[in-house]
């Protein structure tokens, strides 16, 4: 499958630190290769990289990325998640699936240029909610739920359990 990338626009380090961290962790958990964040944020990078170091996988985070240039230079298909977009069920079949995908999510109001630049503007329901929820539903549909329990070969692996917590730690 081609690589899935996320572009987070409008990140305000103080105000959005938790939500953008959750956008990044959700992207990783559901199989994206990495996230580009428009505002430079070293703390955000450290927090996300610390999860990657412990739980494995190849996830990349880059902050301070010029979003207009990224949209222009991206070699693949661009999908913008917005409550104003076309229906998810109607839009999904239009995704080519054979090219890398850049999924754009906003923090606040997204500039009109993004709507123009995107190949598809897709809504996950027509009610306002959260970029984390929109991304999770979208990625899960896109990947048919295949990444929920995929092995990341991490230092730590959580084993699903009916009760209690089972964590296997690798000793190197
Ligand atoms: N008015 C904005 C919009 O265009 O959806 C809502 C801003 S919301 C606080 C931040 C981000 O959440 C949006 O940029 C969008 O990526 C995502 N979002 C919120 N509701 C959504 C929905 N129903 N469908 C898809 N994305 C949504």
């Amino acid at each position: 499958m081609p690589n899935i990338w996320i572009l987070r626009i409008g990140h305000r380090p103080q105000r959005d630190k938790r939500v953008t961290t959750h956008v990044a962790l959700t992207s990783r958990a559901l199989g994206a290769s990495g996230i580009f964040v428009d505002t430079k944020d070293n703390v955000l990078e450290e927090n996300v990289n610390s999860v990657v170091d412990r739980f494995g996988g190849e996830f990349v985070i880059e902050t301070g990325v010029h979003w207009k240039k990224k949209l222009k230079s991206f070699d693949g298909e661009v999908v913008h998640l917005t409550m104003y977009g076309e229906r998810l069920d109607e839009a999904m079949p239009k995704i080519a699936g054979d090219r890398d995908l850049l999924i754009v999510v906003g923090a606040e109001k997204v500039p009109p240029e993004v709507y123009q630049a995107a190949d598809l503007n897709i809504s996950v329901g027509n009610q306002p909610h959260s970029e984390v929820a929109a991304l999770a539903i979208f990625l899960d549909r896109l990947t048919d739920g295949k990444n929920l329990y995929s092995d990341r070969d991490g230092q730590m692996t959580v084993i699903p359990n009916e009760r209690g917590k089972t964590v296997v730690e690798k000793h190197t």
Side-chain angles (χ1 to χ4, degrees), residues 4 12 14 28 55 84 136 142 151:
I4 302 166
R12 299 151 294 186
Q14 271 318 308
R28 174 188 169 273
F55 288 89
Y84 304 107
L142 184 73
D151 185 17

Side-chain angles (χ1 to χ4, degrees), residues 8-9 12 19 80-86 104-110 115 122-135:
R8 167 71 156 159
I9 292 182
R12 299 151 294 186
V19 179
H80 170 218
L81 297 182
T82 165
M83 68 171 172
Y84 304 107
E86 64 179 303
V104 185
V105 291
E108 44 178 358
K109 197 169 180 290
V110 171
Y115 291 79
I122 303 181
S123 63
V124 181
N126 60 354
Q127 303 296 320
H129 49 79
S130 150
E131 48 274 47
V132 180
L135 198 53

Side-chain angles (χ1 to χ4, degrees), residues 139-168:
L139 287 173
D140 192 57
R141 296 251 181 122
L142 184 73
T143 58
D144 295 325
K146 289 195 178 87
N147 291 308
L148 289 179
Y149 300 101
S150 61
D151 185 17
R152 311 298 166 94
D153 194 26
Q155 290 300 318
M156 296 171 76
T157 302
V158 176
I159 309 297
N161 201 342
E162 274 186 30
R163 283 193 190 80
K165 301 177 183 174
T166 308
V167 182
V168 175

